[in-house]
Amino acid sequence: MKRILAVILSCLLLTGCEAFTFSVDELLVAPSISDDQEALKQALYDNVGHTVTLAYPRSGDYRSAFVIADLDGDENDEALVFYTASSATASGTGENVRVAVFDKDSGGDWHAMYEVAGGGSSVDNVIVTDYGDVTDIVIGYGTSVHDESAVSIYRYENGVLRSTYDGWYTEMISADIDLCGTDEIVLFKKSGTAVSVGVIKSSDGLSYVTAERMLTSSVSAISNYVCGILYGETGALFIDVTDEDGYLLTEVVYLVGDTLTCLSAMDSELLWITERTSGYLSMDYDNDGIIEIPTIGLFSGYSAGSSAEYMINWLSYSEEELEFVTEASAYYNLSDSYIFKLPSRWTNFISVIRDSDTGEITFVEYDRTADSLADMKKLLSIISVSSRSTETYLDDGYTLITETDSTAYLYKGLAGDDEPLLLTPDEISDNLYITQ
């Protein structure tokens, strides 16, 4: 790395005397820019001088210092440019990032239109929401306060970038939590082990609904979040949180009118029933739109411990029973990124053996009278291998279920045709889900 930087510096010294500055972050991570962005960079220099450092968002969908979009609904693109004064960057004074708006003239040249000081010394996240005739520009700013970022929502109208909302967050996402077709802005705020969730919602880009509530659990970290159906046509945000003991719990929040409701606030058992070990995240594993929450049980023949094989019970919420019910049971291979849902006729009749060397899973008919799992009747084996090895396994009697760009998933039937628990090829393929 030192040699690379030395070569870069040498080349810069040989290119002439034009004064400009750069940062190590720009050299290492700044993406290559388009002709439009190059023109914007020159327009920025023409407007404020060369002693600036471009500011690149650290997260989110926009990772460029240049965001080009129709900001005012006139069907022509404008541009946001993020930068800081290079003198502030070099001295570490933490001067706030600047946000400049540029527009094109009839000749296609960029011109500075407006500029504001942002709410922090760096850009954390940028979200552009399009409501058709109007656009909101949501910018999160890094601050000097640990786990706290500032957020401003701007509207660009009549040549002026105007803030319509200012707040703070620990983590910010854009998500359609109520499945209305338009994303909401979701702000997670963490203070100690207390976490609140706030939603800023607009259906027309003109009026806003803001709702916030505390989560029930004591939170060490927010591990995952996913939107989907809770029941019927009701959408929700499922938030996997890690508690102080290292276990995962799932909080579910959803909008009822203008109110943000939390399932666990109505019934704490709806939180504790979701407790499980880390790694097992809520998801729509079977692509039916409904979010399922994984909980853990033991396969027959095992006791809890490092060598145990765990059955995953997928929970979904029942509107009729007002509680989580087990939708399906499955073997979940975290390391090989697949889920095999157990057919209902296998319930209470099977267990599994895992080959620690190959990762192959073999399903066996559970027999209490057998001396060990290895002595039980084998039904089916499933293995994931590199796609380059597929032919070798096919030659050895395996059948391909599905494959990704790099991985093949195969099975081998081990039971006779007269076995009642024998699965058909369609049953096997229909019950395998890839989680990558």
Side-chain angles (χ1 to χ4, degrees):
M1 180 62 72
K2 290 181 179 178
R3 291 184 63 188
I4 293 172
L5 291 176
V7 171
I8 294 172
L9 289 170
S10 297
C11 293
L12 293 174
L13 291 171
L14 293 173
T15 56
C17 300
E18 183 180 50
F20 69 99
T21 62
F22 61 91
S23 70
V24 171
D25 282 346
E26 281 189 62
L27 288 174
L28 296 179
V29 302
S32 59
I33 61 177
S34 66
D35 291 343
D36 235 358
Q37 293 172 333
E38 186 62 50
L40 274 168
K41 185 177 181 181
Q42 187 58 52
L44 175 67
Y45 287 167
D46 292 343
N47 187 57
V48 299
H50 284 69
T51 55
V52 296
T53 300
L54 295 174
Y56 292 85
R58 297 181 180 275
S59 62
D61 292 335
Y62 293 94
R63 298 297 184 96
S64 172
F66 312 96
V67 174
I68 300 174
D70 181 7
L71 303 178
D72 56 6
D74 65 353
E75 299 185 356
N76 296 305
D77 283 343
E78 291 76 37
L80 299 173
V81 182
F82 310 114
Y83 72 93
T84 56
S86 295
S87 57
T89 302
S91 62
T93 56
E95 180 180 312
N96 280 10
V97 69
R98 308 291 297 183
V99 183
V101 183
F102 287 78
D103 203 350
K104 279 185 177 179
D105 61 22
S106 57
D109 295 323
W110 291 104
H111 294 278
M113 304 298 294
Y114 200 79
E115 182 177 301
V116 296
S121 57
S122 62
V123 182
D124 176 60
N125 196 352
V126 178
I127 299 170
V128 178
T129 63
D130 183 0
Y131 300 112
D133 293 335
V134 293
T135 299
D136 277 340
I137 305 125
V138 186
I139 304 177
Y141 299 100
T143 71
S144 59
V145 181
H146 178 64
D147 276 347
E148 185 174 314
S149 299
V151 58
S152 294
I153 300 178
Y154 300 97
R155 178 69 52 79
Y156 182 62
E157 295 175 315
N158 301 318
V160 176
L161 191 63
R162 176 176 56 89
S163 175
T164 60
Y165 175 90
D166 294 289
W168 70 276
Y169 66 92
T170 303
E171 192 160 354
M172 176 174 67
I173 63 170
S174 172
D176 184 8
I177 72 169
D178 58 358
L179 308 183
C180 67
T182 302
D183 281 358
E184 291 76 47
I185 304 302
V186 181
L187 305 176
F188 298 100
K189 300 178 182 179
K190 187 174 185 296
S191 179
T193 61
V195 170
S196 69
V197 179
V199 174
I200 304 171
K201 176 180 175 61
S202 176
S203 59
D204 55 10
L206 301 175
S207 57
Y208 294 89
V209 171
T210 58
E212 185 172 355
R213 72 165 305 118
M214 299 297 298
L215 298 183
T216 304
S217 50
S218 295
V219 179
S220 173
I222 299 170
S223 300
N224 177 60
Y225 35 78
V226 60
C227 288
I229 295 172
L230 177 61
Y231 59 83
E233 297 182 357
T234 299
L237 178 64
F238 293 71
I239 309 163
D240 295 333
V241 300
T242 301
D243 69 11
E244 294 174 283
D245 296 321
Y247 289 98
L248 276 179
L249 300 162
T250 300
E251 297 267 19
V252 182
V253 296
Y254 59 102
L255 283 166
V256 178
D258 296 348
T259 302
L260 193 63
T261 300
C262 182
L263 275 185
S264 60
M266 298 186 293
D267 182 354
S268 62
E269 183 60 26
L270 295 175
L271 175 65
W272 304 122
I273 196 176
T274 70
E275 185 180 78
R276 70 270 189 193
T277 55
S278 62
Y280 296 95
L281 303 178
S282 300
M283 66 178 74
D284 177 14
Y285 77 92
D286 54 1
N287 299 313
D288 63 354
I290 298 171
I291 303 301
E292 291 92 11
I293 302 171
T295 57
I296 298 175
L298 286 166
F299 274 101
S300 297
Y302 289 95
S303 56
S306 59
S307 61
E309 293 295 341
Y310 294 98
M311 179 185 294
I312 301 303
N313 297 309
W314 293 96
L315 304 182
S316 59
Y317 187 73
S318 169
E319 181 183 12
E320 293 76 22
E321 300 180 44
L322 300 178
E323 64 181 7
F324 287 117
V325 297
T326 299
E327 176 185 291
S329 297
Y331 182 86
Y332 187 176
N333 194 318
L334 282 171
S335 59
D336 290 342
S337 303
Y338 73 84
I339 294 165
F340 187 75
K341 185 170 72 173
L342 306 181
S344 58
R345 60 195 179 91
W346 271 18
T347 303
N348 300 323
F349 288 107
I350 61 99
S351 189
V352 297
I353 303 171
R354 182 178 183 274
D355 187 313
S356 59
D357 294 324
T358 66
E360 184 171 32
I361 298 299
T362 299
F363 294 93
V364 299
E365 183 178 358
Y366 187 69
D367 181 358
R368 293 180 181 275
T369 66
D371 292 333
S372 68
L373 288 164
D375 295 325
M376 298 179 191
K377 183 189 297 182
K378 296 176 175 60
L379 303 172
L380 172 74
S381 288
I382 295 177
I383 191 169
S384 66
V385 300
S386 169
S387 295
R388 295 189 299 270
S389 304
T390 302
E391 289 299 326
T392 301
Y393 281 85
L394 293 176
D395 291 342
D396 193 29
Y398 287 79
T399 300
L400 181 68
I401 307 172
T402 188
E403 60 184 330
T404 65
D405 291 340
S406 60
T407 305
Y409 299 84
L410 305 103
Y411 78 91
K412 178 186 281 189
L414 303 174
D417 293 340
D418 59 345
E419 170 56 55
L421 296 179
L422 180 71
L423 301 185
T424 67
D426 284 345
E427 282 182 298
I428 295 169
S429 60
D430 290 347
N431 284 295
L432 186 83
Y433 301 91
I434 311 302
T435 60
Q436 292 176 328

